[in-house]
Amino acid sequence: MLLSWSTWPEIEAFLARSKTVVVPIGSNEQHGPTGLLGTDWMCPEIIAHEAAKDRDDLLIAPTFNIGMAQHHLAFPGTISLKPSTFIAAIGDWVRSLAGHGFDHIYFLNGHGGNVATIEAAFSEIYAEASWSQRRSGFSLKLKNWWDLPGVMSLANRQFPVGHGSHATPSEIAVTQHAYPHAIKAANYAPQIAPTGPIREALDFRARYPDGRMGSDPALATPEKGGELVATAARALIEDVKAFSAEAPVG
Ligand code: NI
């Protein structure tokens, strides 16, 4: 069940049977010479929408599609929030949803560069309750889609070499599965990109001239993406179920 395709009375009725909502969250940033700029928000959205297909007990919020991607800003098309803006925006999303009564808010993340800021946002939000010596009334959870049970082991079997950490064949395969009309090809060298640290945008572009980190995205296929989506969607349903079963706070 998708929040965007629902009416407010439908959401009011949903709240009578569940107070859990899943928010896909990602980033709009360069993904090498063949990866779509939307890769990091598309992956969690594709997985969440697959999981929610034909289910009225799993509610997916609109995708939060801009994240913390300052290190990719030397590549055209990247759009980034700085950490403080991102923290403020996550807070407003949470306060909006919690205000309606959602007490379990699950963020399914698609961008490693978001993790530190999302966790900082959670601390900021909880601190509002802590400072006033009251219960927050809701639980927040962050899960990266590749950390869902079974996903990384499948990706390791599919891509034993050349997986890397940015513009990976697994994330690109997921987008190829969902959007076969947007599959791109390019010549690039070396076949497997270099690895190293992440700092500011010009340093990043100097180290990783075509945007890839440690990866060979040409290994991606729509079929492998389909396997990843099916595994991740099944695991997401179970993970959200377990999260929902935790007693609500306060
Ligand atoms: Ni990515």
Side-chain angles (χ1 to χ4, degrees):
M1 182 173 170
L2 303 184
L3 187 143
S4 301
W5 290 5
S6 305
T7 62
W8 73 260
E10 287 173 320
I11 299 303
E12 194 167 70
F14 178 88
L15 278 160
R17 55 184 196 273
S18 170
K19 292 183 167 43
T20 300
V21 61
V22 174
V23 183
I25 190 165
S27 178
N28 186 90
E29 63 183 47
Q30 72 82 14
H31 268 73
T34 61
L36 307 180
L37 281 148
T39 299
D40 281 0
W41 62 260
M42 289 175 177
C43 289
E45 180 178 279
I46 291 162
I47 291 161
H49 287 199
E50 175 66 22
K53 205 187 280 175
D54 304 324
R55 296 187 78 100
D56 63 2
D57 60 345
L58 182 57
L59 180 66
I60 312 299
T63 301
F64 196 135
N65 62 9
I66 304 294
M68 215 305 289
Q70 62 81 18
H71 47 296
H72 295 298
L73 282 169
F75 294 89
T78 299
I79 303 171
S80 179
L81 299 177
K82 61 186 175 189
S84 51
T85 314
F86 197 21
I87 288 169
I90 291 167
D92 289 354
W93 276 57
V94 167
R95 281 185 284 271
S96 298
L97 292 167
H100 304 310
F102 289 101
D103 62 17
H104 287 78
I105 303 173
Y106 182 113
F107 286 84
L108 183 66
N109 179 45
H111 173 46
N114 281 351
V115 170
T117 309
I118 295 173
E119 286 178 346
F122 287 2
S123 294
E124 287 274 351
I125 296 160
Y126 287 136
E128 293 169 11
S130 300
W131 247 269
S132 56
Q133 298 284 318
R134 58 176 173 79
R135 309 294 293 265
S136 69
F138 50 79
S139 304
L140 306 173
K141 183 179 172 89
L142 167 64
K143 182 74 112 182
N144 301 314
W145 69 264
W146 56 87
D147 288 330
L148 287 164
V151 173
M152 212 58 224
S153 54
L154 172 60
N156 288 336
R157 288 197 301 279
Q158 291 175 327
F159 311 107
V161 291
H163 186 268
S165 59
H166 183 66
T168 65
S170 61
E171 61 183 345
I172 287 172
V174 168
T175 64
Q176 289 182 343
H177 164 73
Y179 306 116
H181 62 279
I183 295 175
K184 311 293 169 94
N187 293 320
Y188 53 77
Q191 199 63 31
I192 297 179
T195 59
I198 296 175
R199 296 188 180 121
E200 84 280 7
L202 291 180
D203 181 82
F204 189 102
R205 184 148 183 175
R207 289 176 190 278
Y208 316 106
D210 67 13
R212 298 172 297 141
M213 289 183 75
S215 67
D216 179 5
L219 299 167
T221 67
E223 293 72 25
K224 287 175 178 168
E227 294 168 9
L228 287 161
V229 170
T231 300
R234 271 195 307 272
L236 177 64
I237 291 167
E238 293 310 310
D239 205 42
V240 172
K241 214 177 276 178
F243 177 52
S244 300
E246 290 176 8
V249 292

